[in-house]
Amino acid sequence: MSAVEQLTPPPAVAEPGPRRWRRVTGRMGLGGLLGIGGLLALVVVSAAGRFLTDPPQPDIEAIAQGPSGEHPLGTDFTGRDNLHLVVRGGWDMLELAFVAGFLMSAIALTAGLLGAYVGGAVDRIVVSFIDLWLTVPRFVLLLVIASLFPVSSTVALAALIAVFEWPYLARQIRAQALSLRRREYVEAARLLQLRGGHIMLRYLIPAIGPFVVISTIQAMNTAIYQQVGLAFFGLVPLEDNWGVLFSVAYSQNALYLPAAAWSLLVPVAAICLLQFCLVLASRSLEELFDPRLRGAR
Amino acid sequence: MQLTPLFTLIGRALVRTVLMLWLVASVTFLAIRALPGNPVDVWVQELQGTGLSAEDAREQATRLLKIDVDQPLWTQYLDYLGNLARGDLGDSVILSPGTPVTDMLGERLLWTLFSISFALVIGFLIGLYLGSLAAYRRGTWVDRLITNVSALMSSIPAVLLGIVLTFCVGVAWDLVPIQSLRGAYSPDVQPGFDLDFILSALAHVIAPGIVYILVSFGTWALVMRSNALSVLADDHVGQARARGLSERTIRVAFVQRNARLPLITGFAISMGFVVSGSVLVERIFVYPGVGQLLADALARRDYTVMQGVVVATTITVLLATAIADALYGWLDPRTRIEQHA
Amino acid sequence: MIAPSAEPLVLDVSGLTVEYRDAVRTVRAVTGLSLSVARGRTVALIGESGSGKTTAALAILGMLPGSATVLSGSVAVTPAGRRLDLLRLPRRELRALRWQHIAYVPQGSISSLNPIQRIGRHFQQTAEAHALGRRAAEARAMELLAAVHLEPRRIWTSYPHELSGGTRQRVAIALAMLLEPEVIVLDEPTTALDVLTQEAVLTTLLELQAATGVSYLAITHDLSVAGAVADEVITMYAGRAVERGTAEQVLADPLHPYTAGLLRSTPSVDSDLPVQSIGGHPPSLSDLPPGCSFHPRCGLADERCRSGGPPALLPADSRTVACHRVSERVAAGGPG
């Protein structure tokens, strides 16, 4: 329909700072503000907990208690304060999520762009491998590998998760890059025989940038999901991050004792909160950067 | 009936199946046997530590693994693949020494499939319904509610949901005795084809089932919404309106049917995802499925059982994918053409 | 003026004005379009993409997307002697009336059929929606498929993707004829077809018209299509009708410089004249130049064309045209 074709949005015009900012926040909506604000708050609180406080000490006088004036969120089975634990345990969780999200995005970006840009046989290999790896029951394999070769650092664990979980993102990035490649200006650049690397740097990466940010947030989401599963089997030999806290509490049967259950439910709530913030943030960024992205998938 | 494309389709599925099994088997072999510090070497040393001679220890390992640990690695690898091709996954080394892993898997796999298949289908249907509802009501509060709730639910790890559910229902509100959530059927019921047993088995599926439904419907709703939106924008929908077709016919015959087709493959892949997820959920509800078995194997380091679970899960996914492909080909008249495009 | 046809009007559009709105701006796609189609006749709306002809067709059919609003005008039809304005009809009545009185062959019939339904099902659903009995519908569909030169039985059980573009176009035509409408809107009836198929489809359309007395409103950018089927031609530019007359007049001797340009840019077997495209681009509808919308691309433009409002559609030389220069010339007595 010709008349509708002419209704493509006008080129973005730089608006004066404050007005533009208000428009941005307006378009992000309440959910987006909550998500990004929540993430910032979690980062600040976790950083403060990690670097400004000492590890909470066990207290045999106060084992597995419910909330009280002294311990607002109760204590765990060694008498440590749940609130203190959860504030201290966030940093490792965020670090893991960030490193895994970054690595996953990096692998996915490399594979996805390689496939979309080089095309031909390379693309077919990339796509087949992605499809194959997507169909493998990865979590089961991840559990086995993690149990046979225990990783003892956050970064190693993040890398392990990233190696297992990149293909979904890679598929999305490839699809996105393919649709970009078909756009006229990229085609024009190709016809002008600009070098492939130049096209990628100058056109594809900037255009795909927002998408990568969103993908990284989604990758963080996945990383947390997987680390929670690993932790549940005691396969995360790390210090008290939220996943470890909840799995240790679970293995102490905290679930069945209402007073002790606080030590289980507090980290569970923290993980859910983090996940919610990540989801809200990624969804609102999607709408902010490009409403068409939603239709594209 | 065109036969050639059908054969191509089957051939492709076979190649993929073999490739995937080989990939998974190789990764498992690499991890369990070939890497330095691999658990079989460690185990042989441990056996020696219990007073067995080096020879006896190796012999025992060879017997249980059905791989001659004295041979060069590549011979072991070929033996391993050969065993696999014959359907022999070795014997359990620790959990139940000497029992063939295939025997241990059989019943467990049935329980797992029983418990997830109901929930998967229900979650899928709920997702389809909510997704298309959100698409029809695009931009309204219904749409926002559905998309946000779906996105949030699909981001909560299944295990956390299981824990919260158990806590609320079984502990805090005390609606249901905890024990009745556990196991595959009540201990006072004898397995058999009678009403009591079937009812008991169904009752025990409810708790894990609810968790599977809650964690799976959101993804379907989001994908269905985006598919339905793109079908709604298709020319043939506008054309159907022009022809005076009722909105109901358009939604069912045009939007629903077109939008859910591509989801079928995803549904099959999700089988694998949920079998993976069942590892966690079964542990919470002490459900005697593959997940429980894997949990035990992980805890006791029973390598042949671990390996067996990985292979069995992969085969489950492959079967599901094959069924989905067949279903897709049957439901979508265009498949044959598109397979060649 | 065009000699009034003795036949009654089956479609009478007057003063149709349509706008598209989004958050950013408003675009007027059609302004004050009037046209009428008599029984058994064909009117062609011609123009480049962006001229508003497709929007006009969608508005006439009541199929505009949600972002569009009809600001004014009426689309009158007279089923069974009752004069009704399609634009003011309740949705339910419109749905019942459309297809029975005014049907549609969409642009690119390739995507206008449900890919997962057999062709027969499309006919059945249409019949069901209009309370036409299943058997009667099937019998009529068979007749129609034969009338558009297809093998009825084979087509009935085929899926859309199994048919060629020309066959799908014929199916779409048969589907449009199912309820014996008085008028069919043909949106670019031959785009995306090869030349031979184009000709065959146009011949079929003319045969059907001769046999049933159906009227067509053809939307096309292809003047050869207009020449082949139309009795009357209306040229649209930037949302307005700029010239209207019988097909022979307009296509043989265009008065408006834009129609003349379109004609020059169409390759023709009959003429040795070189093909010459119109310079420049169609204007953006959201940012029309002042005065006559065509003046930036017009070789005749003078000061009057560049300022003031767009010229009115005035009678000139037994037709109507919206151009200051042509009106002056005609008033001065000399034909073009």
Side-chain angles (χ1 to χ4, degrees):
Chain A
M1 266 188 306
S2 41
V4 183
E5 270 164 27
Q6 298 205 345
L7 282 177
T8 45
V13 187
E15 291 172 54
R19 232 180 89 202
R20 183 167 186 198
W21 178 242
R22 208 174 311 139
R23 261 186 68 144
V24 167
T25 53
R27 272 159 69 197
M28 270 180 13
L30 183 63
L33 292 178
L34 278 178
I36 291 173
L39 276 184
L40 286 177
L42 282 175
V43 170
V44 170
V45 170
S46 302
R50 183 72 154 87
F51 300 110
L52 301 180
T53 70
D54 295 323
Q57 291 307 309
D59 176 4
I60 344 171
E61 302 292 303
I63 283 178
Q65 289 179 343
S68 63
E70 201 185 342
H71 303 290
L73 295 178
T75 58
D76 76 349
F77 56 95
T78 58
R80 294 181 297 177
D81 182 66
N82 283 334
L83 179 62
H84 194 172
L85 278 173
V86 84
V87 167
R88 245 191 93 79
W91 186 258
D92 284 356
M93 200 75 186
L94 290 166
E95 188 185 336
L96 176 105
F98 187 80
V99 176
F102 181 79
L103 287 175
M104 225 184 285
S105 252
I107 303 175
L109 202 61
T110 313
L113 286 185
L114 192 74
Y117 187 75
V118 180
V122 175
D123 190 34
R124 276 200 297 281
I125 292 170
V126 169
V127 169
S128 314
F129 190 74
I130 288 175
D131 283 348
L132 205 65
W133 202 214
L134 265 179
T135 335
V136 169
R138 296 184 303 282
F139 183 63
V140 173
L141 211 51
L142 178 64
L143 278 178
V144 169
I145 306 269
S147 83
L148 296 181
F149 302 94
V151 286
S152 46
S153 81
T154 300
V155 174
L157 182 62
L160 188 64
I161 292 175
V163 166
F164 273 82
E165 297 298 331
W166 63 269
Y168 185 67
L169 277 186
R171 188 154 82 168
Q172 286 185 1
I173 287 173
R174 179 180 163 275
Q176 191 67 16
L178 269 186
S179 85
L180 276 174
R181 222 191 91 172
R182 287 194 203 101
R183 288 190 196 164
E184 280 169 21
Y185 60 93
V186 177
E187 200 51 44
R190 275 165 71 85
L191 290 176
L192 289 170
Q193 297 188 323
L194 297 178
R195 276 173 303 113
H198 182 79
I199 296 175
M200 271 211 217
L201 280 181
R202 181 78 183 73
Y203 298 98
L204 281 181
I205 302 236
I208 222 168
F211 188 73
V212 172
V213 173
I214 294 163
S215 300
T216 307
I217 296 181
Q218 287 168 353
M220 291 168 73
N221 222 313
T222 309
I224 294 170
Y225 204 116
Q226 303 299 36
Q227 111 107 57
V228 166
L230 289 176
F232 187 57
F233 281 101
L235 298 177
V236 181
L238 299 176
E239 259 180 66
D240 304 329
N241 79 28
W242 294 340
V244 176
L245 284 177
F246 111 84
S247 84
V248 171
Y250 184 83
S251 62
Q252 298 285 332
N253 273 332
L255 181 57
Y256 306 107
L257 311 164
W262 285 87
S263 63
L264 177 65
L265 296 177
V266 167
V268 166
I271 295 168
C272 290
L273 183 68
L274 175 54
Q275 291 287 69
F276 285 176
C277 288
L278 286 172
V279 168
L280 289 174
S282 79
R283 290 185 63 77
S284 72
L285 286 177
E286 258 175 38
E287 300 200 13
L288 180 67
F289 281 126
D290 191 346
R292 278 167 299 179
L293 276 181
R294 281 169 300 165
R297 285 186 292 130
Chain B
M1 189 69 205
Q2 290 168 282
L3 280 178
T4 332
L6 192 67
F7 283 132
T8 321
L9 214 72
I10 294 173
R12 202 178 286 229
L14 274 177
V15 169
R16 189 178 55 190
T17 307
V18 171
L19 260 179
M20 220 171 100
L21 270 179
W22 171 76
L23 180 77
V24 169
S26 303
V27 170
T28 334
F29 180 81
L30 201 71
I32 291 179
R33 186 66 196 98
L35 290 182
N38 72 75
V40 172
D41 285 347
V42 174
W43 180 53
V44 169
Q45 275 167 16
E46 277 172 7
L47 281 179
Q48 287 175 339
T50 61
L52 279 174
S53 70
E55 249 166 49
D56 286 350
R58 285 174 166 276
E59 200 220 329
Q60 190 175 342
T62 302
R63 192 158 40 83
L64 291 176
L65 291 168
K66 303 206 170 153
I67 295 171
D68 190 344
V69 292
D70 290 325
Q71 295 288 322
L73 267 182
W74 63 268
T75 318
Q76 296 184 32
Y77 178 59
L78 289 181
D79 282 353
Y80 167 74
L81 290 183
N83 287 344
L84 206 61
R86 284 194 305 275
D88 188 346
L89 293 170
D91 295 343
S92 166
V93 288
I94 290 163
L95 285 177
S96 163
T99 314
V101 171
T102 40
D103 290 358
M104 299 174 76
L105 278 169
E107 197 194 351
R108 304 288 197 124
L109 200 57
L110 280 182
W111 281 120
T112 295
L113 291 178
F114 171 70
S115 68
I116 64 172
S117 51
F118 277 103
L120 266 188
V121 172
I122 295 173
F124 187 63
L125 293 179
I126 294 177
L128 292 193
Y129 175 76
L130 290 179
S132 47
L133 186 67
Y136 300 140
R137 305 277 167 82
R138 180 182 200 174
T140 64
W141 66 269
V142 179
D143 181 18
R144 278 195 292 277
L145 184 73
I146 291 176
T147 45
N148 282 318
V149 169
S150 300
L152 293 181
M153 288 312 291
S154 59
S155 76
I156 305 180
V159 54
L160 300 190
L161 210 62
I163 286 175
V164 172
L165 186 79
T166 315
F167 180 75
C168 292
V169 174
V171 182
W173 304 332
D174 207 10
L175 298 175
V176 178
I178 286 286
Q179 285 72 19
S180 74
L181 293 176
R182 292 184 176 170
Y185 49 89
S186 303
D188 51 349
V189 181
Q190 284 301 311
F193 270 102
D194 55 41
L195 194 64
D196 279 352
F197 176 68
I198 292 169
L199 283 181
S200 176
L202 285 175
H204 282 259
V205 161
I206 292 175
I210 288 175
V211 173
Y212 296 134
I213 291 171
L214 287 177
V215 294
S216 64
F217 85 91
T219 319
W220 300 126
L222 293 177
V223 182
M224 182 64 183
R225 174 180 178 274
S226 113
N227 285 3
L229 280 179
S230 86
V231 176
L232 275 171
D234 279 352
D235 288 349
H236 63 79
V237 172
Q239 175 69 0
R241 290 216 171 92
R243 283 191 281 133
L245 268 53
S246 69
E247 205 55 29
R248 222 184 82 86
T249 311
I250 291 175
R251 285 185 182 183
V252 175
F254 286 67
V255 180
Q256 288 263 16
R257 282 190 55 199
N258 275 299
R260 75 186 173 211
L261 266 181
L263 265 72
I264 291 171
T265 320
F267 182 65
I269 294 179
S270 84
M271 286 289 283
F273 168 77
V274 178
V275 171
S276 300
S278 74
V279 175
L280 301 161
V281 176
E282 284 177 4
R283 182 166 174 221
I284 297 175
F285 296 109
V286 202
Y287 199 85
V290 188
Q292 244 332 299
L293 187 63
L294 179 62
D296 294 342
L298 289 175
R300 306 277 305 277
R301 315 211 117 211
D302 191 328
Y303 313 113
T304 44
V305 174
M306 282 185 211
Q307 183 178 291
V309 172
V310 172
V311 172
T313 325
T314 309
I315 292 174
T316 312
V317 177
L318 285 170
L319 282 178
T321 317
I323 293 171
D325 278 353
L327 207 63
Y328 190 91
W330 179 58
L331 288 174
D332 188 345
R334 290 161 302 180
T335 325
R336 272 173 241 143
I337 297 257
E338 280 177 358
Q339 287 287 334
H340 293 279
Chain C
M1 277 306 288
I2 302 149
S5 163
E7 294 287 340
L9 295 183
V10 291
L11 179 68
D12 189 9
V13 179
S14 74
L16 185 66
T17 301
V18 183
E19 272 185 2
Y20 286 95
R21 282 186 198 145
D22 66 9
V24 190
R25 61 201 170 138
T26 302
V27 169
R28 185 163 291 190
V30 177
T31 309
L33 177 72
S34 298
L35 63 89
S36 54
V37 186
R39 168 164 312 164
R41 313 281 283 181
T42 300
V43 174
L45 274 181
I46 61 174
E48 292 164 292
S49 53
S51 61
K53 55 192 192 327
T54 295
T55 303
L58 292 177
I60 289 168
L61 289 156
M63 283 172 59
L64 285 170
S67 54
T69 338
V70 176
L71 288 189
S72 62
S74 65
V75 175
V77 295
T78 47
R82 249 166 87 230
R83 190 178 162 88
L84 293 172
D85 184 353
L86 284 183
L87 297 178
R88 280 161 191 82
L89 225 47
R91 188 188 273 263
R92 178 181 280 273
E93 277 181 60
L94 174 67
R95 199 165 74 199
L97 188 71
R98 202 158 35 197
W99 226 261
Q100 280 182 27
H101 185 84
I102 180 166
Y104 178 47
V105 175
Q107 182 172 357
S109 303
I110 292 89
S111 52
S112 71
L113 298 166
N114 188 349
I116 53 173
Q117 280 183 359
R118 295 177 196 276
I119 299 299
R121 189 84 195 102
H122 290 82
F123 284 90
Q124 287 170 345
Q125 284 167 332
T126 313
E128 278 159 23
H130 295 276
L132 177 62
R134 207 183 169 90
R135 282 178 170 271
E138 191 164 338
R140 168 135 181 88
M142 291 296 159
E143 268 171 45
L144 284 167
L145 287 171
V148 295
H149 308 297
L150 297 175
E151 283 173 63
R153 276 286 143 210
R154 188 179 70 84
I155 299 295
W156 187 264
T157 54
S158 296
Y159 284 103
H161 73 267
E162 296 167 348
L163 309 176
S164 70
T167 308
R168 273 187 286 221
Q169 193 68 7
R170 288 167 187 278
V171 167
I173 293 166
L175 194 53
M177 297 287 293
L178 181 67
L179 304 174
E180 302 177 318
E182 295 188 275
V183 55
I184 298 178
V185 177
L186 307 168
D187 191 356
E188 302 282 9
T190 58
T191 312
L193 300 180
D194 63 82
V195 180
L196 288 178
T197 316
Q198 280 188 15
E199 228 158 81
V201 167
L202 292 178
T203 311
T204 306
L205 285 170
L206 291 175
E207 286 168 14
L208 283 175
Q209 189 167 47
T212 63
V214 68
S215 310
Y216 297 130
L217 174 60
I219 313 293
T220 182
H221 68 278
D222 186 342
L223 298 195
S224 62
V225 171
V229 297
D231 300 299
E232 184 186 342
V233 169
I234 299 172
T235 311
M236 284 191 77
Y237 188 78
R240 289 168 186 272
V242 292
E243 177 164 9
R244 136 195 342 249
T246 64
E248 296 83 46
Q249 283 176 331
V250 174
L251 297 177
D253 175 28
L255 284 183
H256 196 281
Y258 174 62
T259 317
L262 273 183
L263 208 60
R264 271 199 304 277
S265 64
T266 308
S268 162
V269 201
D270 310 325
S271 128
D272 296 330
L273 290 173
V275 174
Q276 220 182 329
S277 66
I278 311 176
H281 298 283
S284 155
L285 289 171
S286 60
D287 186 23
L288 287 180
C292 172
S293 305
F294 186 60
H295 83 252
R297 303 168 75 187
C298 181
L300 302 175
D302 64 10
E303 217 25 65
R304 268 182 73 200
C305 302
R306 293 188 189 98
S307 57
L313 200 58
L314 293 172
D317 193 26
S318 78
R319 62 189 111 161
T320 52
V321 64
C323 177
H324 298 302
R325 300 298 305 264
V326 172
S327 299
E328 278 165 17
R329 202 169 59 204
V330 171

